C-alpha cells in the first residue's frame, strides 16, 4: 500500500494507468519524474498522500491523473506548466492545493478540480486562463485569491459555478469572463 523509490531513482515517467485503481495509500514521486500520465492514479480510493521533493522536475500532470482519488492535500511543484483536464475531479477529500510562488503553470484546465473539497486557493501569477468548469461544484470553496502580479486574462464558462465564494477580486488583466462563470454562487 506504500510505494517507495530510492533517493537516486532514475525514474522519469509514470505512464498512463500505472497505478490506476490500486490500493496504495502514499507515494513520494522521485525528483527526476517529468510526467505523470493519463489516469496514472485514477480511482485510487485509498491514496491520501502524494509528495514531491523540493527539487522536483515534474512538468506535466496528465488528464484524469488523480481523478476520483482520496488525496487530502497536494503541493504542485514549480516546474509544472500543464495540469490536464479532469486531473483532480471528484477528489472530495482534497481540501488543500498549494502552488509554489514561482509556479510555471499556464492554465487550469477544464474540470481540473470539479467536485473537490477545496476550501480556498491562491492562483499563481503565471496562470493565463481558468478553463470551463475548473472549480465547478466545489461547494466548500469560499476563498479564491490571485497573486498581485497575476497575468490571468480568461475565466471560462461555469468555472466557479455552484461554489461558495463569498467575494472575489478580479485581476486587472482579465479581458473575458465567460457565461455562467459564477452562476449559482449563492453567497457571492
Amino acid at each position: 500500500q506504500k510505494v517507495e523509490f530510492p533517493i537516486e531513482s532514475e525514474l522519469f515517467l509514470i505512464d498512463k494507468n500505472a497505478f490506476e485503481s490500486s490500493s496504495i495509500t502514499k507515494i513520494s514521486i522521485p525528483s527526476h519524474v517529468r510526467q505523470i500520465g493519463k489516469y496514472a492514479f485514477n480511482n485510487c480510493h485509498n491514496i491520501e498522500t502524494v509528495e514531491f521533493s523540493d527539487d522536483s522536475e515534474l512538468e506535466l500532470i496528465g488528464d484524469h491523473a488523480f481523478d476520483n482519488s482520496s488525496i487530502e492535500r497536494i503541493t504542485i511543484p514549480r516546474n509544472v506548466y500543464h495540469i490536464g483536464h479532469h486531473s483532480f475531479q471528484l477528489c472530495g477529500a482534497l481540501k488543500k492545493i498549494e502552488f509554489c510562488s514561482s509556479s510555471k503553470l499556464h492554465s487550469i484546465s477544464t474540470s481540473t478540480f470539479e467536485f473537490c473539497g477545496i476550501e480556498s486557493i491562491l492562483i499563481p501569477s503565471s496562470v493565463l486562463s481558468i478553463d470551463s468548469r475548473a472549480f465547478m461544484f466545489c461547494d466548500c470553496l469560499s476563498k479564491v485569491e490571485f497573486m498581485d502580479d497575476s497575468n490571468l486574462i480568461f475565466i471560462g464558462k461555469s468555472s466557479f459555478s455552484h461554489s461558495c465564494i463569498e467575494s472575489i477580486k478580479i485581476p486587472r488583466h482579465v479581458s473575458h469572463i465567460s457565461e455562467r462563470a459564477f452562476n449559482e454562487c449563492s453567497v457571492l
Side-chain angles (χ1 to χ4, degrees):
Q1 293 182 333
K2 183 177 178 183
V3 179
E4 295 181 304
F5 299 93
I7 294 172
E8 62 279 354
S9 174
E10 296 179 13
L11 184 68
F12 68 92
L13 170 67
I14 297 176
D15 213 343
K16 62 184 180 181
N17 309 91
F19 294 96
E20 184 178 19
S21 299
S22 69
S23 295
I24 62 173
T25 59
K26 179 179 181 176
I27 188 168
S28 293
I29 308 293
S31 63
H32 295 302
V33 171
R34 292 209 168 122
Q35 180 177 343
I36 296 174
K38 294 179 180 182
Y39 298 93
F41 297 94
N42 181 49
N43 287 322
C44 288
H45 299 295
N46 297 321
I47 194 167
E48 296 174 355
T49 307
V50 177
E51 296 175 340
F52 300 97
S53 62
D54 290 338
D55 61 343
S56 173
E57 297 173 18
L58 187 67
E59 297 175 337
L60 188 136
I61 298 173
D63 302 341
H64 297 272
F66 295 94
D67 185 2
N68 198 25
S69 70
S70 297
I71 295 174
E72 295 177 350
R73 64 184 317 253
I74 193 163
T75 299
I76 306 295
R78 70 178 193 87
N79 290 320
V80 173
Y81 65 85
H82 180 76
I83 299 175
H85 63 80
H86 301 87
S87 288
F88 295 93
Q89 181 187 35
L90 296 169
C91 293
L94 183 58
K95 302 283 186 216
K96 188 167 182 114
I97 299 160
E98 292 180 327
F99 298 94
C100 296
S101 60
S102 57
S103 174
K104 296 179 182 176
L105 187 64
H106 295 158
S107 67
I108 297 176
S109 299
T110 299
S111 299
T112 298
F113 298 109
E114 187 175 10
F115 289 104
C116 283
I118 305 165
E119 297 169 348
S120 66
I121 192 160
L122 174 61
I123 307 291
S125 60
S126 59
V127 171
L128 301 174
S129 69
I130 297 173
D131 297 339
S132 63
R133 301 184 318 274
F135 296 95
M136 188 173 179
F137 290 110
C138 289
D139 46 2
C140 295
L141 182 61
S142 62
K143 187 175 184 180
V144 176
E145 294 180 296
F146 302 92
M147 297 183 86
D148 290 336
D149 59 343
S150 174
N151 290 302
L152 187 70
I153 56 173
F154 178 79
I155 298 175
K157 185 166 92 175
S158 301
S159 52
F160 294 98
S161 179
H162 298 274
S163 67
C164 288
I165 297 172
E166 296 172 358
S167 67
I168 190 166
K169 183 179 178 183
I170 306 294
R172 70 184 189 101
H173 296 297
V174 171
S175 60
H176 187 130
I177 297 176
S178 299
E179 62 185 279
R180 297 189 305 276
F182 298 95
N183 182 40
E184 299 291 333
C185 291
S186 61
V187 294
L188 182 61

